[in-house]
């Protein structure tokens, strides 16, 4: 059972549809009671860091999520801004992050980007796994995913980097620490590559 956290930020239905296609049961959590018995969690996110953190903090689910993730060690995957929220803080805002992974979210340096349209980093790009924890099973070669972001996740511990992508330099497009996973790209918009990855998470 996959529990998708609905705190008012992110395309929940897109994830539900992917899991329906691969025949994995899903549940949507909008209250702390909905989180009871969660086996795996998805934390989606789009938009501004502080807005997303405010929405989550005001949802009534924050304390329960911290318990599930930090104490009960329930597997969780943060997606796009959901990944960035797992960090200590972000240059995009002033609020503290969840501090689930020791990292800081930083803005891309536009001077290092060769593309005519520099920011946001938008469209399809390669994702190269550098750490084998099962999430990229079957996706090691020639896998591309859809990105849409201006800020990137910088791990303070290099061992937490799970995959890298090139955009004005190499950055961590996926991270992993214990039961916590983060991906900067959008698997729900990445066709069969994203479907494989989300299915892999369900099987971990």
């Amino acid at each position: 059972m996959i529990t998708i956290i609905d705190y008012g930020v992110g395309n929940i239905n897109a994830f539900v549809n992917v899991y329906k296609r691969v025949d994995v049961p899903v549940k949507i959590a909008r209250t702390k009671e909905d989180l009871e018995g969660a086996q795996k969690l998805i934390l989606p996110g789009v938009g501004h860091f502080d807005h997303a953190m405010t929405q989550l903090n005001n949802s009534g689910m924050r304390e329960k999520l911290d318990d599930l993730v930090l104490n009960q060690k329930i597997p969780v995957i943060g997606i796009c801004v959901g990944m960035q929220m797992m960090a200590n803080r972000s240059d995009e805002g002033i609020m503290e992050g969840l501090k689930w992974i020791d990292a800081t979210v930083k803005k891309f340096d536009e001077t290092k980007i060769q593309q005519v349209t520099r920011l946001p980093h938008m469209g399809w790009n390669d994702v190269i796994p550098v750490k084998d924890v099962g999430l990229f099973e079957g996706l090691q070669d020639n896998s591309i995913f859809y990105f849409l972001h201006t800020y990137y996740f910088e791990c303070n511990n290099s061992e937490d980097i799970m995959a890298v992508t090139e955009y004005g330099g190499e950055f961590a497009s996926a991270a992993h620490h214990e039961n916590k996973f983060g991906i900067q790209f959008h698997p729900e918009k990445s066709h069969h590559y994203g479907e494989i990855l989300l299915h892999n998470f369900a099987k971990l």
Side-chain angles (χ1 to χ4, degrees), residues 25 86 113-114 141 149 153 165 188 201:
M86 292 177 155
I113 300 171
Q114 301 301 314
D141 301 314
H149 63 123
F153 196 89
T165 293
E188 78 282 13
F201 177 68

Side-chain angles (χ1 to χ4, degrees), residues 43-111:
L43 179 66
V46 295
H48 192 278
F49 181 89
D50 278 6
H51 174 69
M53 283 302 309
T54 298
Q55 288 288 106
L56 184 61
N57 288 339
N58 291 341
S59 70
M61 293 186 282
R62 172 67 189 275
E63 185 176 350
K64 180 64 175 179
L65 284 171
D66 280 338
D67 177 59
L68 289 171
V69 173
L70 300 178
N71 299 324
Q72 299 186 42
K73 303 296 183 182
I74 298 297
V76 59
I77 186 167
I79 295 169
C80 195
V81 174
M83 174 192 189
Q84 295 180 2
M85 292 163 69
M86 292 177 155
N88 301 325
R89 55 170 300 276
S90 172
D91 286 347
E92 187 179 21
I94 61 173
M95 296 185 68
E96 288 188 343
L98 294 167
K99 299 183 179 180
W100 290 353
I101 299 177
D102 186 15
T104 302
V105 177
K106 298 184 176 181
K107 189 175 183 179
F108 282 114
D109 182 350
E110 291 187 78
T111 65

Side-chain angles (χ1 to χ4, degrees), residues 6-176:
D6 183 3
Y7 58 105
V9 178
N11 189 354
I12 304 302
N13 288 334
F15 293 99
V16 172
N17 291 336
V18 169
Y19 279 116
K20 282 183 177 178
R21 287 198 297 271
V22 297
D23 197 27
V24 172
V26 294
K27 175 183 178 182
I28 297 173
R30 297 187 175 95
T31 68
K32 63 180 181 181
E33 289 78 17
D34 293 336
L35 293 169
E36 290 295 335
Q39 298 170 329
K40 288 189 173 69
L41 298 163
I42 290 181
L43 179 66
V46 295
H48 192 278
F49 181 89
D50 278 6
H51 174 69
M53 283 302 309
T54 298
Q55 288 288 106
L56 184 61
N57 288 339
N58 291 341
S59 70
M61 293 186 282
R62 172 67 189 275
E63 185 176 350
K64 180 64 175 179
L65 284 171
D66 280 338
D67 177 59
L68 289 171
V69 173
L70 300 178
N71 299 324
Q72 299 186 42
K73 303 296 183 182
I74 298 297
V76 59
I77 186 167
I79 295 169
C80 195
V81 174
M83 174 192 189
Q84 295 180 2
M85 292 163 69
M86 292 177 155
N88 301 325
R89 55 170 300 276
S90 172
D91 286 347
E92 187 179 21
I94 61 173
M95 296 185 68
E96 288 188 343
L98 294 167
K99 299 183 179 180
W100 290 353
I101 299 177
D102 186 15
T104 302
V105 177
K106 298 184 176 181
K107 189 175 183 179
F108 282 114
D109 182 350
E110 291 187 78
T111 65
K112 296 181 179 179
I113 300 171
Q114 301 301 314
Q115 285 81 349
V116 175
T117 303
R118 295 184 174 91
L119 291 175
H121 173 210
M122 180 173 63
W124 296 85
N125 206 337
D126 296 323
V127 173
I128 311 300
V130 296
K131 180 181 179 183
D132 184 10
V133 291
L135 195 65
F136 288 93
E137 183 69 30
L139 294 167
Q140 290 86 351
D141 301 314
N142 302 317
S143 296
I144 56 173
F145 293 88
Y146 185 83
F147 288 82
L148 179 57
H149 63 123
T150 301
Y151 294 79
Y152 67 95
F153 196 89
E154 184 174 272
C155 297
N156 292 325
N157 185 343
S158 62
E159 293 182 0
D160 292 339
I161 299 172
M162 182 167 49
V164 296
T165 293
E166 177 72 26
Y167 194 70
E170 193 175 84
F171 72 94
S173 51
H176 166 257

